[in-house]
């Protein structure tokens, strides 16, 4: 039994005629007769009997007719709902953004996405890369922006920004006027870092360990603008991405190229490789990728 056969039965009942039902459905009478015959053979009971020129339903036909209305109506409703999903008229997306990337790169893209697909709803969650990757992996989030690289066996991804960190110093700092500063030159400084659930936290510590010192952490935060304010107040030094440094007031802090080693800030959008991604989430991946250049700036 399939939905097409039920639709044929209902149309025959509506017109009390195989011929008129076939005309209404724009099919031939042999086609509709064969479909009903196949259904009767499958069920093992007749659905229609002819009484003179009148077409009547059998008991089984009445039972089928009573249920078929609801089945066909539900199927049509399902088709409409699926059409809304596949045409992005409805749907829900759960997106994870780290504070730096969210503030710097996504407001404009999110606004354009909302204007393009007003029926889609978006749930945004801010957190560090470590937590966001965990939430994408366990299905709490559909997609997330994290620090790359990630486990390619678990995640699909695309990269949209590839920068380096710069040293952020108080203007009166002895190193503030230099063009470059080696990481080891900061070994006696108090560091203001992102919290441990931010991938940059561990990456900076590993880089410091690599040149022979353990950074003295004075404060940790989840907000890059608060870290900036702390440096401006002379509370310590920080390491922030190039694009974020471009947003800082040069009268309040100095930013200097960091070398030996250069610490990368490589961001990408990730989603689970082996999990179903909704139509809405897939369109977000396509849309956001199309609107970000390799430098992470919205394309025109």
């Amino acid at each position: 039994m399939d939905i097409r056969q039920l639709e044929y039965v209902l149309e025959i009942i509506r017109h009390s005629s195989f011929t008129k039902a076939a005309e209404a459905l724009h099919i031939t009478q042999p086609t509709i007769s064969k479909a009903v015959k196949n259904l009767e053979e499958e069920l093992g009971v007749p659905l229609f009997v002819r009484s003179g020129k009148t077409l009547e339903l059998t008991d089984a036909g009445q039972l089928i007719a009573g249920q078929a209305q609801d089945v066909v109506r539900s199927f049509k409703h399902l088709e409409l709902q699926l059409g809304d999903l596949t045409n992005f008229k409805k749907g829900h997306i759960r997106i994870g953004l780290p504070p730096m990337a969210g503030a710097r790169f996504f407001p404009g893209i999110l606004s354009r996405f909302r204007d393009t697909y007003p029926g889609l709803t978006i749930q945004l969650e801010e957190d560090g890369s470590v937590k966001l990757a965990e939430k994408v992996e366990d299905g709490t989030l559909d997609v997330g922006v994290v620090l790359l690289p990630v486990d390619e066996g678990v995640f699909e991804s695309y990269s949209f920004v590839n920068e380096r960190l710069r040293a952020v110093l108080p203007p009166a700092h002895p190193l503030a006027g230099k063009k470059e500063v080696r990481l080891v030159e900061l070994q006696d400084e108090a560091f203001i870092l992102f919290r441990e659930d931010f991938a940059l936290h561990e990456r900076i510590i590993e880089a410091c360990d690599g040149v022979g010192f353990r950074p003295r952490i004075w404060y940790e935060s989840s907000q890059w603008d608060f870290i900036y304010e702390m440096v401006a107040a002379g509370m310590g030094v920080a390491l922030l991405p190039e694009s974020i440094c471009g947003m800082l007031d040069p009268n309040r802090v100095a930013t200097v190229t960091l070398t030996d080693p250069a610490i990368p800030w490589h961001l990408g959008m990730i989603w689970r490789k082996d999990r179903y991604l909704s139509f809405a989430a897939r369109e977000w991946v396509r849309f956001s990728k199309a609107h970000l250049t390799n430098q992470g700036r919205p394309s025109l």
Side-chain angles (χ1 to χ4, degrees):
M1 181 188 302
D2 60 39
I3 196 70
R4 178 177 52 83
Q5 291 170 317
L6 294 180
E7 288 176 327
Y8 288 178
V9 168
L10 292 175
E11 201 67 25
I12 293 167
I13 295 170
R14 185 174 296 115
H15 293 280
S16 298
S17 167
F18 276 71
T19 302
K20 292 179 180 179
E23 290 173 354
L25 292 167
H26 305 291
I27 59 176
T28 65
Q29 181 172 335
T31 298
I32 197 170
S33 296
K34 182 178 180 180
V36 172
K37 182 179 179 182
N38 289 341
L39 179 58
E40 290 175 326
E41 289 177 351
E42 180 182 346
L43 298 174
V45 291
L47 302 181
F48 296 97
V49 293
R50 292 187 180 276
S51 178
K53 293 184 178 181
T54 304
L55 191 66
E56 296 182 356
L57 286 169
T58 65
D59 291 345
Q62 291 176 1
L63 179 61
I64 290 291
Q67 299 294 322
Q69 288 280 5
D70 292 337
V71 172
V72 171
R73 187 182 300 112
S74 296
F75 183 80
K76 293 296 185 184
H77 184 61
L78 178 60
E79 281 188 319
L80 289 173
Q81 289 186 313
L82 287 173
D84 285 346
L85 285 177
T86 55
N87 291 307
F88 312 116
K89 293 180 181 178
K90 64 169 61 174
H92 184 68
I93 315 165
R94 301 164 301 171
I95 303 172
L97 299 174
M100 276 194 296
R104 176 66 182 88
F105 304 117
F106 284 93
I109 294 172
L110 285 165
S111 177
R112 287 196 291 275
F113 187 77
R114 181 198 61 190
D115 291 343
T116 305
Y117 304 111
L120 300 184
T121 58
I122 298 176
Q123 171 190 330
L124 292 178
E125 183 165 336
E126 276 196 332
D127 217 326
S129 287
V130 175
K131 288 286 184 65
L132 292 179
E134 290 174 354
K135 290 177 180 179
V136 173
E137 184 171 4
D138 68 21
T140 305
L141 294 173
D142 299 309
V143 297
V145 172
V146 301
L147 199 64
L148 299 178
V150 292
D151 187 343
E152 294 181 357
V154 175
F155 300 108
E156 296 279 5
S157 68
Y158 74 82
S159 168
F160 65 89
V161 76
N162 196 352
E163 297 181 356
R164 296 179 175 182
L165 301 187
R166 291 176 65 86
V168 184
L169 312 168
H173 195 282
L175 300 174
K178 298 184 66 175
K179 290 185 177 180
E180 295 182 349
V181 59
R182 292 179 297 117
L183 181 59
V184 71
E185 293 181 82
L186 302 176
Q187 62 182 327
D188 295 326
E189 303 292 337
F191 277 74
I192 303 169
L193 296 184
F194 285 97
R195 296 189 321 232
E196 291 184 359
D197 54 334
F198 285 69
L200 271 183
H201 178 97
E202 190 61 30
R203 189 160 295 183
I204 290 172
I205 290 177
E206 289 176 354
C208 293
D209 285 342
V211 295
F213 75 96
R214 191 75 173 178
R216 179 166 56 92
I217 301 172
W218 191 86
Y219 190 79
E220 295 177 358
S221 174
S222 63
Q223 302 296 324
W224 66 265
D225 50 349
F226 187 70
I227 291 174
Y228 154 65
E229 292 291 347
M230 295 286 280
V231 174
M235 304 301 293
V237 303
L239 304 179
L240 292 176
E242 293 167 342
S243 58
I244 298 297
C245 289
M247 301 167 62
L248 307 183
D249 185 349
N251 295 314
R252 301 190 64 210
V253 296
T255 68
V256 182
T257 299
L258 183 68
T259 64
D260 298 326
I263 303 176
W265 191 58
H266 189 189
L267 291 181
M269 185 83 67
I270 65 168
W271 57 98
R272 271 293 295 263
K273 178 172 286 188
D274 60 352
R275 182 173 288 127
Y276 172 76
L277 200 61
S278 71
F279 288 105
R282 275 182 267 173
E283 182 58 13
W284 163 253
V285 169
R286 186 206 65 78
F287 187 94
S288 60
K289 185 176 182 179
H291 286 75
L292 287 170
T293 69
N294 289 333
Q295 295 302 312
R297 294 176 177 81
S299 57
L300 300 177

